[in-house]
Every structure is written in C-alpha cells, then in structure tokens.
C-alpha cells in the first residue's frame, strides 16, 4: 500500500503541486460519465484519466465507423463495426491502471426512457455531440439531481462548451493577486502588543534596517493617528505625506546622508495596500445574505454550515471582520523578527479558526449531526480562504432555450458586431434545428452543400423569429457551416478536450473558479481561425528597448544590495555578496 | 531539393492502409471552397494521405513524473528514450504514419538535417533551446540582392506551458517576429539574494537553497559528484540539511516535495493545458501545410486559472533584433571601459540574455579570443583580459566583435562604438 502511494506521489507530482493532496483525493473519488466516444469525447476523457480520476463510464449506442477511426486516437480500424463505448474504453483504460473504466452500450435516450436515475451516481456528466432534444432531456434530469453537466461539441473549426451547474461551491480559488490580510487599520490585541515591543528610535542600525515593513508602517501609522485626530491618511495627498513621513524615519549617517534601508523602501512602497481598510468582501457578504446560509438544515452542505459559522464569528468574536488569514508575504527582515511577526498572525488565525469551529459545532448539533461531520482541517482551510469563497450558479438549459427567458439582450448586443463569436452560438443552434428537421446535419456530402445553404438559412431565420432576435447573420457564416459538414477535426477536438477536462477538474475538486455568473460566460466558444476582418482583433505589441518592469526592478535591487554591502565588507556578519548575487534572467517554460 | 520533389506524405502516398471514410473529417476542408479560406487556397479532390513522415528529436529519457500527462508513455517505458517510445507508439497506433526518432539534442544536428523539413514544431523546455532552433532556421534563409527568398523559409511553430498557462506562436523566420524579437516578453527568473540565504533566512525555500548552494559544495557528501536533482539520495540529503537549518531559525514548511521543487526548479504541469497548446500548434501545422486557412498571426496566450482566457496578438519584429535583423549589433562603450563591462552587458541586457558569451575579434590580421568561459584552459588564459580596458586590449572604434553563445548556432556580430 505504501509502495503504491509512493509511486502515485511520484507519478502525480507535477499536478499535486497545483491542486494539492486534497484536490487529488477529490479527483480519485470522482466518477465521470462521458456520453458519446467521439474524438472530442475521448480527448476530454484522456485528460481526466491521465491525472487519475477514480472511474469513468462511457455511454454510447453507436458502432465504430471508418470515419470515427479516422479522427479518434482511441479507436483502431479493427474496432470498426464494434460498439464504440467498448472500443474506446479499452484504449482509454490502458492510459492509467489507477482508473476504473466502464461502458454502457446504450444510447442516452434509451437510458432516459428506462432509467434516468442511472445518471445520478456521477460526479459530473459530459455530453458530447448530443442532439438538442436529448441534451434538454438529460439537462433536466441532471438539474433536478444537482449533477453538474458539461455540454461539448466540435463543429468544423468551432469548439463549444457549456457548463450547467445549479450551485457549485469553491473554497480554494487561488486568486493570482490577492490582497494581504495584515489588519494594520484594526490591529488585534496580540498584534498591538507585538508592535509595542519595538522601539524604532532606540534601535541599532542593524535591527532598524531589518525590521519588517509591516512594523514600520504600524509604528508610523500610530504616530500619524495621534497627530491627526485618529484619522488615517485617506486621499493621495495624505498618503504622499505619510510616505514622506516614513521616509524621514530612515537613519542617516554622520554626514546626514540617508542610509540604504530596504525595509523602509518596502514600507513606503506598500503604503497604498497597507492602508486598505479591512472589510468583508462584497462577494462574501452576498453569500452571508443567501438563503442557504441563513437556513441551515440537516441537508445543508458543509460549505454552507461553515459559511454560517464564519458569519456568526464575524458578528461576534470577529467584530465585523473575517477570521485572520494567518499568512504574510515575504519581506526584508532578519529571521527572528520575520518569524516572530509571522507567528503573531498564525496564532491569531488558529484562535479565530477555533472560534469558528465552536460555531460549526453548535450548528451541527442544532440540526442533529455529530460535530465530527466537518473536520478541523476543513474548517481551517475554509477560514484561510474566507475572503475568496465563491459560489457559481448557472442558468439551466431549459432557461437558456425557453422563449420566455432567452438572454435576448446579451445576444443582440454582442451581434452589434456581426463577426462576434455570438454568431457561432446562433449557427450551432440553427444547425441543431436543421438536424431536428432533416435527421442529418447540413453539407455532410459534397453534393449537398449548395442546396443545404438555403435550407440552413431557413433554420436560421426560424430560430431568430422564434426568439424575436433582431440580428443579422451574414450569408458567409451559413455557407461556412454547410462547408463544415459536421466535420470534427482532431486538433479542434483536442483543444476542446484540454479545455473541457480542466473545467471538469475544477468542478470535481471545488478549486479554482470558473466565470459562471453571467449566462454568456457559461459558454466558451473557440474559434481556431482568424476572423474575416483581421484588424479589429489584432493589436500590435511594440517593443521598446527598455527593460521590462520586472527585469529593471531586479537590476535595481542588485545595485542597491551592492551599495549596501560595500560599506559592510569588513563586517564579518555579512557575506561579501556582490559577485555571488544570483540573477539569471531566463524564465522557465516547460512542455 | 525543390518543393515539388518533396511530397507532403514523405512518399507514403498509398501505404495500402487506408480504409473507407478515414479522411472524412479532414477532406471537407481541402475539397470545398469557402468564404474564410486563405487567399491562396485552391480546393482539390486529390487523394489525401495525412502527415506521414515526422521526425522527432528529444534528448530525454522517460521519468515516472512524466506519466501524468505524456500519454504516449507507460510505466514500463520509464528509462527509455522519449523519442524512441513515442515513435513506436504512434507508428503502431496510426497506420501509415512513419515517425523517425532521434535520441539526440537539437544542437547535435546541423543545417543539412533541418533543411529537409517543411515545418518545424517545438515543445522545448528552455528559452535557450528555443533561441538555438530559432537561430538555426534563420541561418537557413537565403537572400538574393537583399531580398528574402520565400522558399528558404521553414515555418517554426512553438508551444510552451507552465501549470495552467500556455502559449503558442507561429514564426516565419525572416518575415515575422522571431523568438529573439520578443525576448523581453519572458519574465526573468529571479533567485534569492545570497545574503538572505547565508544569514537571514525567512522562508523554507531559503533553507533549501542554503543546503544546495552553500552546504553541498562545502561538505561534498557524495564525494566530487555534483548535486543531481534526480537522485533521491541527494534530495534526501538536502532535505535533511534544510530541516536542520529551518529548525535553527524556527522556520516551518520544509517538506521533501518542496525541497525537490526548489532543487530541480520544478514547474507544475498537467495534461489539459498541454493538450490545448499542442492542439493549437497542430492546427497551425495543418493550416500552413494545406493553406486551408490563414494561420495564427502570430502569438496566442492561454490561461484557464480563472475561467478560460485566451488572447491573440501580433508580436512585432524588432528592427535591430540580434537574431533575425541581419543588422550588426551596436555596442556602445567608452574606450576606458573594461571588458568585464562588455561581458555583463551581453548577459544582462534584456534583448540579448546571453549565457556565457565567447568574444573574439580580429587584431593585426589575426583571430584573437578576448574571453571564453566554456573551456577551462582558455578561460584561465583570457581571464586577465576582463580587467583590461578596451583601449588596452587594442580595440578601436568601429571594431567588429564576434560573439558565440549557446543561445544561437551562429556567431552574432557586434560593432564597437566608442563613446566619449
């Protein structure tokens, strides 16, 4: 058992660094359903099998055709005539022995007729190349069962993906540019004490230059407040004055020349963000106000129980603030000062998480559930990510397709530019309509192309009329869609395969964040050829011969360090580091 | 050989292995006219054959950690050359396709090798390698009376990924922006300051770098062997030393995984991002080979961290690009500048980013090496030159310096321009 775990650690190392062990656990407990093992379907599944989902089941009533083998890496020509679900399962299964592969030789329509609850067992259902009627039927079943549904298709050079999930909670959204949680505007007691333990004015130069910028700002802020009627710097002018105030605190040598104190420079640089008031983000406030948060029952997901506990904390022990996050960014400081400061935040975070835990316990008890139902580990993770919690809600397919709730405004405004990607959405809908009427797709055979153009145009017009969409669809697009002849080129299928698999992973792991709040953002349209009017889409990037900001910052730091230590070369505490300063200016780009 | 003598299918037109309907998903794009095709496109119903002849160059062998995304490899293949295994797999899965493997570095081949190809696709793992390939294809260009001969252009399609981010670009050497034209787009890799590592660690990473950079060379735990990130014993040693260091400063967070990540500079990677970028590159190969559509013009970025984001822009050529502009590069220094300063400029300048440039020139009709790092004896011999001024070295205004470096297969010519 240990051996298997060690080798899984090794095999999955590169992805564990992205979604962690708990993310991997979620994947390994997932059972994914793929409907239709077309090239798009198998490419999606490949990117889920490789990272080690627990199991997959392919539902497909088709037999393998020569055409299928031509674009599908997971079918071979000796599969022709056999059931497609079975054939694809074999070659997908062999990608990863940790995964359990299953197949059902049945069309989804039949399953919906006889056993719709079959689909309830899955973590996510991925439907590929489903005719509109099947898609809507399945969508309704999955919506009621709260099973996330990912609808995908490749049509010519167009890729389409639509996420349908009623409510998807995300705890870890790994935001790229998160604001730090430093509480400088409302220092908690332990932080206040820690700040007080410093006396900048009486410090030796070494300590003065290695005091974390957070302390520096805190000290100067305290002075400012006492001189400004407890009002922190608010506008640009005041913040500039505050920065200057800090700058004046930089030690000067015997000639009155300011020393090189990088920590003070950091303090000055961070004034803007440091002065940000601590508050509960609006997105989290919205969650606090939601029905699920305020009405905790025994059916409530742990997400909502924990959220309610955090809300209760905010109104009690938190005094209006979320639990302290507990992390601080790296900053110039000596080891001890940095670690001590870090520990102040860490300990407070633990305290706050413990208080939230008590609230969780109470809530669980009140609905008759044991306190162990939600682990300490989960509560800690939740508290750490309290500012970044997200709930994604999509509209149902029924809402999207209903004449009463179709998103007319969005569609019409996008189509102000007739070459916007929205035209592909409308064409795909028209093509589905064509299929419904003629039981085939337009332009599959060469001789059909010309006649089908006018037939497809009729479908386009009836679609626009039915939804009262006053938009213009150029004939060129109708021609192009007939030209595609429902082809599914492998490279487009593969592009969609990567994109859709990643969305599925986000759903399964409840990490990261998809932009699901706006109807048009549930939808992802990929165009793998440039638009006819090339100019509006392209922007030129001009390259001046100056350094990029990050490179010049880097070189500036070298100069600063060099200057700083040249005066300390005789001091054995400092390593003469000028020639040892590592700066390699080449970025990693892996494949 | 002229284009007409190089069939796209590598001569495998009828491998006798096609079946009914094999090309249905592709032939529609080649047989039918349409409103968005490339202006040069001419529909034809000639028999299709797909891409039959593909050469693959890869110097690596398969590692267990590749298996989470490199789907042509299986646990039984660990240790075997990637090129060989990939070729075997594809040749058996795709009838009629002939992949020829080369378990070599790209630099092991010269222009005669690369000249045979219609298109080159790169999925390299370093900027240096990309620049080298870029330089190689530029060196194959031929100019007649200063005009570029288009038949000497070999398109280069380059893809790269890092975690959930990736990019794909189309380069037509001599015509569109090359790798060096956009060197500044790549963010620098910044390492930790030595003083932090040596005396003021704060993060677990600082402790690991301490063990790697300072303790290993000092204690030589495995004799004269240098630290090998792939050797678990080496990593274990670094891990234990890092833990000790961390304990000394009450720093938490040193794990085996972090140690390995820092020592090997590991970049996270998943199957999905690589699939997207590979698909984008393959689509461009298809477009260029068939003229069915206008290719990507010319740089695509992709990011699926927050939602799904992709953006395409046209990277511009740099007028005086050191790789593709054919303009001798300008070096502006006072005659009193030391050679060391020139060396630093070559390595630190964002548009050059050389690794270990070797500088030579012609003095009194003879070739003279001013400084060269890669051969120990020559390095020792020429090291004193670094402290000499350009004037002392006998260089004059307008002097041409030839600089060789791993980042380019050809020497780069510089012209010395004395400032006051």
């Amino acid at each position: 058992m240990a051996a298997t775990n060690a080798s899984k650690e090794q095999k999955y190392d590169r992805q564990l660094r992205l979604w962690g062990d708990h993310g991997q656990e979620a994947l390994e407990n997932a059972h994914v359903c793929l409907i239709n093992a077309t090239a798009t379907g198998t490419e999606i599944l490949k990117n889920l099998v490789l990272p080690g989902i627990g199991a997959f089941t392919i539902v497909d009533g088709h037999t393998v055709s020569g055409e299928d083998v031509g674009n599908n890496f997971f079918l071979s020509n000796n599969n022709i005539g056999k059931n497609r679900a079975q054939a694809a399962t074999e070659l997908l299964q062999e990608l990863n022995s940790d995964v359990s592969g299953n197949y059902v030789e049945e069309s989804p329509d039949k399953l919906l007729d006889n056993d719709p609850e079959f689909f309830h067992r899955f973590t996510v259902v991925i439907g590929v190349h489903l005719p509109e009627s099947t898609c809507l039927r399945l969508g309704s079943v999955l919506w009621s069962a709260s099973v996330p549904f990912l609808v995908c298709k490749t049509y010519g050079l167009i890729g389409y993906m639509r996420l349908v999930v009623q409510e998807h909670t995300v705890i870890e959204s790994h935001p790229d540019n998160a604001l730090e949680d430093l509480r400088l505007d409302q220092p908690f007691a332990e932080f206040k004490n820690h700040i007080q333990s410093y006396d900048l004015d009486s410090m030796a130069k070494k300590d003065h230059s290695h005091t974390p910028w957070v302390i520096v700002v805190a000290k100067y802020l305290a002075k400012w407040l006492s001189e400004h009627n407890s009002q922190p710097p608010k506008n640009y002018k005041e913040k500039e004055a505050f920065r200057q105030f800090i700058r004046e605190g930089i030690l000067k040598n015997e000639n009155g020349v300011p020393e090189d104190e990088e920590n003070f420079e950091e303090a000055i640089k961070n004034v803007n963000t440091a002065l940000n008031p601590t508050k509960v983000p609006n997105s989290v406030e919205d969650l606090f106000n939601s029905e699920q948060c305020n009405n905790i029952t025994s059916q409530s997901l742990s997400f909502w129980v924990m959220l309610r506990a955090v809300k209760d904390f905010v109104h009690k022990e938190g005094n209006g603030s979320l639990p302290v996050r507990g992390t601080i960014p790296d900053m110039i400081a000596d080891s001890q000062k940095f670690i001590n400061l870090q520990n102040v935040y860490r300990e407070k975070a633990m305290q706050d998480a413990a208080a939230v835990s008590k609230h969780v316990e109470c809530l669980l008890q009140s609905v008759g559930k044991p306190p162990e139902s939600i682990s300490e580990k989960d509560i800690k993770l939740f508290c750490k990510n309290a500012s970044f919690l997200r709930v994604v809600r999509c509209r149902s397919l029924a809402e999207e397709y209903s004449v009463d709730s179709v998103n007319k405004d969005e569609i019409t405004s996008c189509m102000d530019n007739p070459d916007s990607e929205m035209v592909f959405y409308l064409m795909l809908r028209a093509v589905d309509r064509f299929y419904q009427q003629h039981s085939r797709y337009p332009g599959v055979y060469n001789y059909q192309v010309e006649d089908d153009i006018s037939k497809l145009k009729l479908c386009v017009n009836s679609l626009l009329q039915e939804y009262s969409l006053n938009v213009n669809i150029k004939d060129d697009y109708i021609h192009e869609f007939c030209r595609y002849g429902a082809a599914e080129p492998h490279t487009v299928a593969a592009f969609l395969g990567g994109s859709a698999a990643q969305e599925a992973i986000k759903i399964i792991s409840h990490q990261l964040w998809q932009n699901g709040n706006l109807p048009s953002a549930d939808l992802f349209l990929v165009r793998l050829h440039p638009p006819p009017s090339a100019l509006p889409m392209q922007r030129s990037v001009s390259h001046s011969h100056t350094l990029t900001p990050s490179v010049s910052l880097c070189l500036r730091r070298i100069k600063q360090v060099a200057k700083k230590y040249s005066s300390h070369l005789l001091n054995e505490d400092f390593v003469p580091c000028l020639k040892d300063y590592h700066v390699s200016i080449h970025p990693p780009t892996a494949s | 050989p002229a284009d007409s003598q190089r069939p796209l299918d590598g001569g495998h037109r009828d491998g006798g292995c096609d079946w009914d309907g094999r090309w249905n998903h592709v032939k529609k794009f080649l047989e039918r006219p349409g409103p968005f095709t490339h202006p040069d496109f001419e529909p034809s119903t000639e028999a299709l054959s797909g891409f039959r002849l593909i050469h693959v160059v890869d110097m690596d062998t398969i590692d267990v950690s590749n298996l989470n995304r490199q789907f042509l490899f299986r646990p039984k293949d660990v240790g075997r050359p990637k090129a060989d295994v990939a070729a075997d797999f594809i040749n058996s899965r795709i009838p009629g396709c002939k992949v020829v493997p080369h378990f070599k570095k790209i630099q092991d081949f010269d222009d005669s090798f690369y000249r045979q190809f219609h298109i080159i696709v790169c999925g390299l793992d370093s900027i240096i390698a990309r620049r080298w390939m870029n330089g190689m294809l530029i060196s194959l260009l031929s100019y007649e009376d200063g005009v570029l001969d288009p038949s000497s252009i070999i398109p280069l399609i380059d893809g790269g990924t890092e975690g959930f981010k990736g990019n794909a670009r189309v380069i037509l050497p001599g015509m569109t922006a090359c790798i060096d034209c956009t060197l500044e787009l790549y963010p620098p890799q910044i390492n930790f300051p030595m003083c932090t590592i040596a005396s003021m660690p704060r993060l677990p990473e600082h402790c690991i770098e301490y063990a790697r950079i300072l303790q290993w060379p000092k204690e030589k735990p495995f004799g004269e062997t240098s630290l090998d990130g792939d050797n678990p014993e080496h990593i274990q040693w670094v891990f234990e030393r890092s833990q000790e260091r961390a304990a000394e400063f009450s720093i938490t967070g040193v794990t085996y995984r972090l140690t390995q990540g820092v020592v090997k500079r590991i970049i996270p990677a998943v199957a999905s991002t690589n699939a997207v970028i590979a698909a984008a590159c393959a689509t461009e190969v298809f477009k260029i080979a068939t003229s069915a559509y206008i290719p990507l013009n010319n740089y695509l970025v992709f990011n699926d961290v927050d939602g799904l984001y992709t953006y395409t822009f046209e990277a511009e050529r740099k007028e005086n690009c050191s790789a593709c502009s054919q303009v001798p590069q300008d070096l502006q220094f006072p005659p009193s500048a030391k050679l060391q300063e020139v060396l630093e400029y070559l390595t630190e300048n964002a548009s050059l980013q050389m690794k270990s440039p070797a500088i030579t020139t012609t003095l009194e009709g003879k070739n003279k090496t001013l400084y060269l790092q890669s051969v120990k004896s020559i390095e020792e011999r020429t090291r004193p030159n670094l402290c000499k001024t350009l004037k002392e070295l006998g260089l004059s205004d307008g002097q041409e310096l030839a600089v060789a470096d791993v980042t380019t297969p050809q020497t780069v010519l510089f012209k010395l321009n004395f400032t006051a």
Side-chain angles (χ1 to χ4, degrees):
Chain A
M1 211 46 196
T4 343
N5 283 339
S7 67
K8 269 210 226 166
E9 247 318 302
Q10 277 187 299
K11 178 162 79 166
Y12 297 137
D13 178 82
R14 300 301 187 265
Q15 67 201 37
L16 292 172
R17 290 168 192 277
L18 287 166
W19 52 65
D21 297 314
H22 52 291
Q24 186 64 31
E25 206 185 312
L27 277 181
E28 291 178 15
N29 288 329
H31 189 169
V32 175
C33 177
L34 169 71
I35 305 176
N36 286 331
T38 65
T40 306
T42 55
E43 287 300 314
I44 296 172
L45 210 43
K46 152 186 156 281
N47 295 320
L48 293 171
V49 169
L50 286 170
I53 52 170
F56 67 85
T57 297
I58 302 182
V59 170
D60 196 343
H62 297 92
T63 47
V64 178
S65 68
E67 181 176 281
D68 288 336
V69 184
N71 75 343
N72 195 327
F73 194 77
F74 296 94
L75 296 173
S76 64
N77 52 352
N78 52 25
N79 293 144
I80 296 177
K82 299 209 181 106
N83 171 263
R84 200 166 62 177
Q86 179 183 15
T89 298
E90 274 172 40
L91 289 181
L92 282 163
Q93 167 76 84
E94 113 24 75
L95 283 171
N96 190 346
S97 54
D98 296 337
V99 178
S100 156
N102 313 282
Y103 59 91
V104 173
E105 295 177 24
E106 192 64 271
S107 78
D109 277 311
K110 272 276 173 56
L111 283 170
L112 286 166
D113 289 336
N114 301 328
D115 180 23
E117 275 161 40
F118 166 81
F119 294 104
H120 291 194
R121 77 195 69 184
F122 298 112
T123 319
V124 60
V125 173
I126 302 172
V128 167
H129 297 169
L130 296 173
E132 185 175 306
S133 53
T134 315
C135 197
L136 290 170
R137 276 181 81 193
L138 183 57
S140 158
V141 167
L142 297 176
W143 184 264
S144 325
S146 295
V147 175
F149 184 25
L150 195 49
V151 181
C152 302
K153 66 181 92 161
T154 298
Y155 203 90
L157 289 191
I158 307 300
Y160 165 101
M161 179 165 61
R162 160 65 152 116
L163 173 64
V164 191
V165 64
Q166 210 170 56
E167 180 188 280
H168 176 65
T169 59
V170 179
I171 297 172
E172 287 177 279
S173 55
H174 303 296
D176 253 342
N177 288 316
L179 285 174
E180 301 286 346
D181 184 23
L182 298 172
R183 306 290 165 118
L184 281 162
D185 61 328
Q186 15 165 294
F188 45 91
E190 297 85 343
F191 185 26
K192 263 202 202 129
N193 290 341
H194 187 70
I195 296 166
Q196 260 151 28
S197 71
Y198 281 83
D199 181 5
L200 288 178
D201 298 327
S202 69
M203 280 172 141
K205 173 158 188 341
K206 200 166 137 190
D207 284 320
H208 195 262
S209 315
H210 289 89
T211 298
W213 71 256
V214 169
I215 302 287
V216 173
V217 170
K219 283 292 199 191
Y220 281 85
L221 185 60
K223 273 199 227 169
W224 174 286
L225 290 173
S226 69
E227 292 167 15
H228 288 81
N229 206 3
S230 299
Q231 292 302 313
K234 288 205 183 67
N235 53 38
Y236 178 78
K237 198 162 154 209
E238 287 173 10
K239 288 182 187 174
E240 258 308 290
F242 184 59
R243 277 188 276 266
Q244 189 53 33
F245 185 30
I246 297 176
R247 185 169 290 290
E248 278 154 24
I250 296 178
L251 291 179
K252 298 187 173 60
N253 65 14
E254 57 273 358
N255 298 324
V257 177
E259 303 272 21
D260 222 332
E261 298 206 281
E262 269 188 279
N263 58 331
F264 270 71
E265 298 295 345
E266 269 189 340
I268 291 162
K269 205 176 63 145
N270 281 292
V271 156
N272 251 348
T273 47
L275 293 178
N276 270 339
T278 304
K279 74 189 227 5
V280 178
N282 290 337
S283 50
V284 180
E285 278 291 357
D286 289 343
L287 293 179
F288 283 166
N289 294 332
S290 66
E291 162 75 25
Q292 292 95 320
C293 178
N294 292 315
N295 187 17
I296 299 295
T297 69
S298 56
Q299 305 301 315
S300 297
L301 296 174
S302 12
F303 178 93
W304 295 110
V305 177
M306 288 191 283
L307 183 73
R308 174 61 179 277
V310 168
K311 178 181 180 179
D312 293 343
F313 168 91
V314 169
H315 292 149
K316 204 171 151 208
E317 300 94 336
N319 290 317
S321 299
L322 292 170
V324 166
R325 195 177 308 158
T327 56
I328 60 172
D330 191 25
M331 57 190 80
I332 301 285
D334 64 51
S335 312
Q336 196 173 55
K337 292 189 181 64
F338 180 82
I339 301 298
N340 288 345
L341 180 64
Q342 193 178 55
N343 285 337
V344 167
Y345 285 94
R346 275 188 183 169
E347 276 153 27
K348 180 65 171 151
M350 284 200 307
Q351 250 183 56
D352 287 355
V356 170
S357 245
K358 288 250 147 44
H359 288 288
V360 170
E361 253 183 65
C362 281
L363 287 164
L364 288 173
Q365 257 172 22
S366 74
V367 294
K369 287 179 94 168
E372 310 84 60
S373 338
I374 301 179
S375 71
E376 289 298 319
K377 200 167 137 214
D378 286 346
I379 297 173
K380 283 205 176 106
L381 187 67
F382 196 88
C383 288
K384 190 164 167 207
N385 286 281
S387 310
F388 313 124
L389 304 170
R390 296 288 183 268
V391 175
V392 175
R393 291 190 180 94
C394 307
R395 302 197 322 146
S396 67
L397 286 175
E399 283 175 87
E400 179 186 341
Y401 281 68
S402 155
V403 172
D404 300 322
S405 49
V406 67
N407 201 333
K408 248 178 88 162
D409 290 340
E410 177 93 30
I411 295 174
T412 315
S413 81
C414 283
M415 288 302 289
D416 275 346
N417 168 17
D419 294 316
S420 113
E421 274 80 17
M422 188 56 78
V423 73
F424 297 120
Y425 172 76
L426 295 169
M427 284 311 304
L428 289 172
R429 293 285 303 265
V431 154
D432 274 345
R433 211 156 256 247
F434 188 105
Y435 185 83
Q436 257 183 323
Q437 279 174 32
H438 304 276
S439 300
R440 64 176 178 84
Y441 286 105
V444 172
Y445 296 99
N446 286 350
Y447 72 84
Q448 293 171 327
V449 179
E450 216 179 296
D451 286 341
D452 282 352
I453 292 175
S454 43
K455 292 199 180 90
L456 183 56
K457 188 159 187 177
L458 289 175
C459 294
V460 168
N461 291 338
S462 87
L463 175 80
L464 297 180
Q465 206 175 46
E466 186 179 320
Y467 290 98
S468 312
L469 291 167
N470 192 5
V471 301
N472 172 41
I473 295 189
K474 291 185 187 167
D475 282 345
D476 278 349
Y477 289 106
I478 301 177
H479 181 177
E480 181 76 351
F481 270 70
C482 281
R483 178 175 185 251
Y484 288 157
E488 188 191 14
H490 179 263
T491 58
V492 185
F495 193 106
L496 196 53
S499 312
Q502 190 50 33
E503 292 309 297
I505 290 175
K506 288 177 194 173
I507 294 168
I508 295 169
S509 66
H510 286 269
Q511 290 189 38
L512 304 173
W513 181 34
Q514 11 348 352
N515 216 339
N517 290 328
L518 304 168
S520 62
D522 303 338
L523 195 68
F524 173 65
L525 286 163
V526 176
R527 183 217 314 259
L528 284 181
H529 67 97
S533 44
L535 291 166
M537 286 282 279
Q538 292 161 354
R539 275 188 264 162
S540 294
V541 173
S542 64
H543 298 282
S544 62
H545 305 304
T546 54
L547 304 170
T548 59
S550 40
V551 174
S552 54
L553 175 67
C554 185
L555 292 177
R556 229 189 312 141
R557 284 208 54 189
I558 303 173
K559 291 201 186 101
Q560 282 173 355
V561 171
K563 249 172 53 181
K564 179 178 182 180
Y565 287 102
S566 58
S567 62
H568 284 86
L569 282 174
L570 297 174
N571 184 333
E572 66 225 63
D573 286 348
F574 292 94
V575 176
C577 67
L578 177 55
K579 69 172 169 60
D580 290 326
Y581 196 108
H582 287 284
V583 176
S584 48
I585 315 179
H586 64 95
T589 305
S591 57
Chain B
D3 252 68
S4 55
Q5 290 164 357
R6 277 184 300 171
L8 246 171
D9 60 2
H12 293 254
R13 185 156 291 267
D14 186 2
C17 49
D18 281 354
W19 54 86
D20 233 7
R22 181 174 189 182
W23 307 112
N24 281 2
H25 288 285
V26 158
K27 67 182 189 183
K28 292 162 208 198
F29 297 100
L30 304 177
E31 293 175 347
R32 303 173 177 189
F36 302 121
T37 55
H38 194 286
D40 293 344
F41 175 66
E42 276 175 32
S44 119
T45 48
E46 262 184 46
L48 280 179
S49 61
F51 292 103
R52 302 273 195 190
L53 188 54
I54 303 171
H55 284 245
V56 139
V57 178
D58 196 321
M59 59 184 255
D60 267 339
T61 55
I62 297 164
D63 180 70
V64 155
S65 65
N66 297 148
L67 302 177
N68 80 323
R69 65 201 183 277
Q70 296 172 20
F71 64 96
L72 300 177
F73 310 144
R74 299 288 175 271
K76 64 173 169 51
D77 301 318
V78 172
R80 283 187 64 199
K82 288 188 178 180
D84 292 344
V85 178
D88 286 344
F89 195 112
I90 295 175
N91 289 336
S92 72
R93 181 71 64 94
I94 311 290
C97 191
K98 182 162 183 253
V99 178
V100 178
H102 302 276
F103 175 35
K104 291 223 158 78
K105 299 206 295 282
I106 51 171
Q107 294 91 344
D108 291 337
F109 294 103
D110 63 16
D111 55 289
S112 61
F113 176 77
Y114 291 107
R115 217 181 278 280
Q116 68 180 296
F117 301 108
H118 288 85
I119 299 174
I120 302 213
V121 186
C122 288
L124 296 162
D125 63 359
S126 75
I127 304 293
I128 298 177
R130 284 179 168 82
R131 291 176 73 185
W132 190 92
M133 183 54 67
N134 184 60
M136 167 54 71
L137 296 184
I138 289 168
S139 74
L140 298 179
L141 298 174
S142 62
Y143 291 82
E144 274 169 39
D145 299 322
V147 177
L148 176 59
D149 171 15
S151 69
S152 65
I153 299 176
I154 299 178
L156 171 63
I157 294 164
D158 177 69
T161 68
E162 234 184 278
F164 298 124
K165 303 179 183 171
N167 62 71
R169 61 193 298 185
V170 172
I171 295 172
L172 301 171
M175 274 183 68
T176 63
C178 77
I179 301 277
D180 284 54
C181 290
T182 57
L183 214 47
E184 294 129 9
L185 277 183
Y186 298 109
Q189 176 182 65
I190 301 180
N191 297 314
F192 303 114
M194 209 45 201
C195 29
T196 304
I197 297 174
S199 50
M200 267 185 297
R202 296 178 298 267
L203 305 176
E205 288 87 342
H206 299 157
C207 304
I208 297 166
E209 290 286 70
Y210 180 80
R212 177 179 82 89
I213 298 169
L214 293 173
Q215 284 181 300
W216 179 284
K218 198 162 146 205
E219 295 178 38
K220 297 200 209 289
F222 294 89
E224 285 302 325
T225 3
S226 50
L227 175 49
D228 175 10
D230 291 318
N231 185 330
E233 281 185 4
H234 291 198
I235 300 288
Q236 184 65 27
W237 187 90
V238 174
F239 174 47
E240 284 166 12
R241 298 286 92 69
S242 309
Q243 282 179 309
E244 286 164 19
R245 176 86 171 156
E248 219 183 295
F249 291 88
S250 308
I251 296 172
T252 58
V254 174
T255 61
Y256 186 91
R257 188 183 292 168
L258 184 67
T259 305
Q260 212 183 20
V262 171
V263 170
K264 291 178 71 171
R265 295 268 190 268
I266 289 179
I267 298 158
V270 286
S272 51
T273 321
N274 286 296
V276 169
I277 297 301
C281 290
T283 301
E284 294 311 308
V285 173
F286 175 78
K287 287 187 205 167
I288 288 173
T290 62
S291 290
Y293 283 97
I294 300 167
L296 173 72
N297 184 14
N298 54 42
Y299 199 115
L300 172 117
V301 301
F302 175 84
N303 179 334
D304 62 9
V305 170
D306 183 350
L308 250 151
Y309 170 80
T310 163
Y311 172 62
T312 304
F313 67 95
E314 182 182 349
E316 282 181 346
R317 278 189 84 181
K318 217 160 108 184
E319 263 172 28
N320 63 341
C321 173
S322 58
C324 74
S325 69
Q326 296 200 293
V327 168
Q329 301 297 293
D330 203 33
L331 273 181
Q332 299 212 343
F333 286 95
S336 57
K338 303 218 169 72
L339 187 64
Q340 174 74 41
E341 291 172 52
V342 177
L343 192 76
E344 279 167 10
Y345 174 78
L346 293 172
T347 52
E348 286 166 17
N349 179 277
S351 325
L352 295 172
Q353 294 188 42
M354 294 191 166
K355 298 302 150 208
S356 53
I359 312 173
T360 59
T361 190
T362 311
L363 279 174
E364 288 155 18
K366 284 193 281 196
N367 200 333
K368 177 169 176 170
T369 305
L370 294 172
Y371 183 65
L372 189 146
Q373 252 178 293
S374 46
V375 179
K376 194 161 170 216
S377 55
I378 305 181
E379 199 279 326
E380 282 170 5
R381 178 170 62 76
T382 55
R383 201 186 307 157
N385 288 342
L386 292 176
C387 304
K388 296 198 183 137
T389 67
L390 302 179
K391 188 162 171 213
E392 282 168 354
L393 289 166
L395 304 175
S396 47
D397 190 29
Q399 180 112 21
E400 258 188 15
L401 301 178
V403 180
D405 187 53
V406 294
T407 51
T408 163
Q410 285 185 298
T411 14
V412 184
L413 278 178
F414 287 86
K415 202 159 172 185
L416 200 49
N417 205 329
F418 278 160
T419 57

